[in-house]
Every structure is written in C-alpha cells, then in structure tokens.
Amino acid sequence: MRYYSLNKQAPAVDFQAATVAGQAPDGGLYFPERIPKFAPELLRNLPTMPQAEVAFEVIRPYVGDTIPEDVLQKICAETVDFEFPLVPVTERIAALELFHGPTLAFKDVGARFMSRCLGYFSRQQKEPVTVLVATSGDTGGAVADGFLGVEGVEVVILYPSGKVSPLQELQLTTLGQNITALEVRGNFDDCQRLVKQAFLDPQVAAHRQLTSANSINVARWLPQQFYYCYALQQWTQKSPPVVAVPSGNFGNICAGLLAHASGLPIGHFVAACNANSAVADYLRTGTFTARTAVVTLSNAMDVGNPSNFGRILELFEQRHAAISQLISGAIISDEQTKETIRRVYQETGYLLDPHGAVAFKALKDYLAEHPADQGIFLETAHPVKFPEVVEPVIGQVVPVPAAVQGLLSQPKHSILLEPDYAALQEFLLR
C-alpha cells in the first residue's frame, strides 16, 4: 500500500514513511492509493471473530510489509484489549461505547495503535522522533498515555488554555517522563495552526524529526475503522444501521466512511456537529467555508476548519451529490445538548457525555423522519470527563472510575505559550 498527498506535490510513500512523517512535505494529508475490500469471509464471520483478529484483518492491507505479521498481530491485540459494548438506550437507538480504554475516550484506539507502530519503527533508526500534536480535549490524554515511556519518542502536546475539562487537563499534564504539555493562550484552531507551521519549518526539520499523532496521521486515523466493525459485530437487526458520529476534526466519521467503502454494511451516516457547522453546512449547500472555532459544551468538536474533510472529499472524488446521499449533517446547540442529557437520563437512566448527546439528538431527529430505520450513535468519552456540563444537568455527581482516580491528586505541569509561531519555534529549537 502506498500513500499520496492530497496536495499532489509530494512523492507517494509506504505506511512507515507516512506514519513517521505524519504530514506530506507539501503540507497535504496522506491518503491510500486504493481502498481495499473486506474479504467476504470477514463480513460473514464478523459476529464470532475475536476483536484483535478483526483489527488485524482490517488494518493489514494498509500496513503492507512495513511491519511483520506477527508484530502487527501483537500490536492489534494490545490496541483493542478492552470492551466496545453496544448498549441499547431506546427501542431504536443503541450506544457504541468507546470509552472503556485507559483514558476513557475513543482516541485510545488510534493512540495505542500508532504508539506501538512508531515504537517499532523507531527501533530501526537512530534519530529520536518528536510527536507534535494539537488537542481539543481527548487526543492529548490518549496520546500521552499511549506513548508514555516509549523509547526514542518525545511527545509535545499543545492544548488551548481553559478550554479542556479538568480531567482532560490532568491526563495531559501529570505524566512527565517523555511527555511535555504546552498550554496555549488561544483556541484549538490556534494549536492546530502552530503544529502545521512547525511541520513546514525547515529550521525545525533540521533540528528534530517531527511526526503528528492527530488524526491527520494515517496510523491514528485508519484504526478508527475498528469501531464500526465492532458495532456491526453486535448488530442484530436485519437492515444496516444508521450511524451518528460526533464530528469535530472529522477523522472518526471519515474512517467509518472508509470501512463502508470497503464493504461494511452501514445504511447511512449522520455527521453530528455542534455550533462549529462548516461541514454540516457543506452537506446542505455544497459550499464549504472554513470558520473560526466557536467554544461549546462539546469542546472536542470545537473545530472550525476540520483537517479530515479533505479526505472525505477525496474518498467521494469531490462529488457533493454522492457525499450528501450517504451523509446527513446535523447542528445541535448547547441548549439542545443539555436538554438531551437531562431527558435521556430521566427517561432511560443512560448518562450521555456532551459529545454523545450531540450524536444522540442528531440520530433521534434523523430517525423521526425515517421511521423504518434504527441506529447507533458513538459515545466517544466517559461523562466523568465533563462534570461541569453533566452534573448541573442531572443534579448529581458523576462517580470517578478507578482507572483515573489517581490523577486527581497529581500536580499539573505545563508550559504557557502565546499563540504565535515564534514561541513554539523557540521551544522546538531548544
């Protein structure tokens, strides 16, 4: 498998080179030269296959011969060694819970897979690698946990000051070792802009070998296909589900679309957005306009110019009619988000996080207009990560899972950074 840049001004590379580089030298995202088809026996045997085996079969064509099969099998087994339960919430809606990993967020899968791939690749080279990543919430914690202690890899995480939840911040700033947190006085788009500038800076390139662990990196993006396979493993209805995905940088839903293109039977996708609605507006109008990010209660989705939207356009050969036929956009306000959390908890006992609430509401609205369909929404983070949103709505404290309780007593360590590139450049050249 080879990967080409969406900017079409750089040579095609293999999985190892794409993973280590993160972004192509022309500033474009890497995209696979072909979309592999799932084997008929994979789809037929899906309900009974072990999770690790599913992951291996899905990702093997993308990795090619850059990682030996026995090593890749071990990487897959370690990546998905926790549950991905499909939980009924109403008669027509189920939640695919993606928060049972070590940092209670769906990003654990991509971060664990990528860290192990990069760990394998780094053993083959002398020069250390710096993982430079921007986070709007959960990516940073998952990356920090996934890469903690990996030899030959330094991790630098940029996050927007005051715009991630307290637990998310602790997951970024308390680990130490090879993890450094840069607290940017700005928003997520500022963090992402700074990261992109660093990748195009020849001075930094001469000083450090940079890669990114955002969903722009193929090793972070591609394993997200696993979620959709695990959802279908547990789907017992005859007709394919409608799947609603909380969408910010659009890597997750793009991976689902890739799995669909490979043959996974999904009936329709709903891109569930908050007030940051650039892609939802495109789906409705055919015109895309990047915007400045707006702060909302579902902070991990506060992205005004989603990086992975370019991959969705590429997957559909820029054809708006084809895209809008398979994907619907939904825009859910903060008030609707809170009301959804309250109502679903009161009526079903199921506690949503703000991102899951956006997806649940979007799916419910879609199903109201399609009475023959049933659906799944992705619950991407544990509600305990957003106590300032969830607890006032339901009127009670969300218990902290044992997996993260130890963080609460740890001191925060971060470096404050102004949102201008000179400050980041100075840090990276030190």
Side-chain angles (χ1 to χ4, degrees):
M1 176 69 80
R2 307 285 287 175
Y3 296 83
Y4 64 91
S5 168
L6 293 185
N7 286 348
K8 313 285 171 60
Q9 300 296 315
V13 298
D14 63 10
F15 177 79
Q16 176 171 350
T19 297
V20 172
Q23 202 170 0
D26 63 357
L29 300 193
Y30 281 118
F31 195 83
E33 285 190 338
R34 60 182 178 82
I35 308 302
K37 294 295 182 185
F38 292 154
E41 54 269 26
L42 170 65
L43 296 173
R44 190 169 56 248
N45 299 330
L46 194 58
T48 58
M49 286 176 69
Q51 286 180 176
E53 189 180 337
V54 172
F56 174 74
E57 293 297 336
V58 169
I59 208 69
R60 178 168 53 172
Y62 293 97
V63 174
D65 59 2
T66 61
I67 298 176
E69 286 202 353
D70 61 327
V71 177
L72 184 59
Q73 285 175 325
K74 183 171 185 287
I75 288 172
C76 289
E78 291 176 0
T79 296
V80 297
D81 67 348
F82 49 88
E83 293 184 329
F84 302 83
L86 187 65
V87 180
V89 178
T90 72
E91 283 188 4
R92 297 174 65 199
I93 296 176
L96 183 69
E97 293 186 345
L98 303 178
F99 54 73
H100 293 275
T103 74
L104 311 182
F106 80 102
K107 306 282 177 78
D108 281 324
V109 165
R112 284 154 75 89
F113 182 79
M114 183 190 165
S115 67
R116 284 153 178 78
C117 290
L118 204 56
Y120 174 78
F121 295 146
S122 68
R123 289 197 293 273
Q124 300 172 296
Q125 56 186 52
K126 295 177 182 176
E127 187 184 356
V129 176
T130 298
V131 174
L132 184 64
V133 62
T135 184
S136 56
D138 287 326
T139 292
V143 168
D145 180 85
F147 281 90
L148 183 65
V150 174
E151 284 187 34
V153 181
E154 181 187 353
V155 179
V156 179
I157 302 168
L158 282 73
Y159 74 98
S161 182
K163 295 181 176 66
V164 301
S165 77
L167 183 55
Q168 285 175 325
E169 187 171 40
L170 287 172
Q171 290 178 324
L172 304 175
T173 61
T174 58
L175 295 178
Q177 294 187 50
N178 59 327
I179 314 295
T180 302
L182 301 182
E183 185 176 353
V184 178
R185 299 183 199 268
N187 59 27
F188 171 73
D189 284 342
D190 290 321
C191 298
Q192 189 154 260
R193 171 178 52 80
L194 294 176
V195 166
K196 286 180 177 178
Q197 282 182 265
F199 276 99
L200 298 175
D201 185 339
Q203 276 186 272
V204 171
H207 188 68
R208 290 175 182 260
Q209 183 173 5
L210 287 185
T211 190
S212 178
N214 282 84
S215 55
I216 64 172
N217 193 303
V218 294
R220 257 286 320 277
W221 168 50
L222 293 168
Q224 294 178 108
Q225 295 177 84
F226 304 164
Y227 314 142
Y228 301 87
C229 296
Y230 298 153
L232 266 292
Q233 273 192 315
Q234 303 168 74
W235 185 249
T236 57
Q237 308 302 319
K238 289 182 180 177
S239 57
V242 176
V243 179
V245 186
S247 298
N249 220 10
F250 277 75
N252 193 345
I253 193 169
C254 188
L257 294 166
L258 203 60
H260 176 269
S262 295
L264 197 68
I266 294 173
H268 192 77
F269 288 87
V270 180
C273 302
N274 56 27
N276 296 281
S277 61
V279 176
D281 291 337
Y282 163 82
L283 291 168
R284 184 171 45 82
T285 66
T287 301
F288 178 78
T289 307
R291 317 228 175 100
T292 301
V294 177
V295 176
T296 75
L297 299 179
S298 44
N299 67 322
M301 295 154 57
D302 293 349
V303 184
N305 187 16
S307 294
N308 287 287
F309 179 59
R311 282 180 168 142
I312 293 176
L313 291 176
E314 190 75 3
L315 188 59
F316 288 88
E317 299 175 331
Q318 317 286 323
R319 293 174 295 137
H320 175 260
I323 297 174
S324 57
Q325 187 175 355
L326 184 61
I327 317 167
S328 298
I331 304 167
I332 308 300
S333 70
D334 278 355
E335 282 307 310
Q336 289 173 308
T337 301
K338 287 191 288 188
E339 176 60 17
T340 299
I341 293 170
R342 185 189 65 77
R343 180 168 291 180
V344 170
Y345 187 66
Q346 283 183 347
E347 294 177 358
T348 72
Y350 192 88
L351 184 56
L352 297 161
D353 94 290
H355 308 80
V358 169
F360 178 95
K361 170 66 173 164
L363 179 58
K364 186 179 179 185
D365 290 351
Y366 180 88
L367 293 179
E369 297 180 10
H370 299 80
D373 290 335
Q374 299 187 59
I376 295 166
F377 72 96
L378 272 51
E379 180 53 286
T380 51
H382 194 292
V384 77
K385 301 187 89 168
F386 309 95
E388 70 288 353
V389 178
V390 174
E391 291 176 357
V393 172
I394 65 169
Q396 60 189 70
V397 173
V398 182
V400 177
V404 294
Q405 232 158 13
L407 287 176
L408 303 180
S409 59
Q410 297 296 316
K412 165 187 163 182
H413 296 286
S414 67
I415 299 170
L416 275 170
L417 204 72
E418 295 302 323
D420 61 84
Y421 181 64
L424 176 61
Q425 185 191 51
E426 182 183 350
F427 173 84
L428 293 174
L429 294 177
R430 79 197 194 290

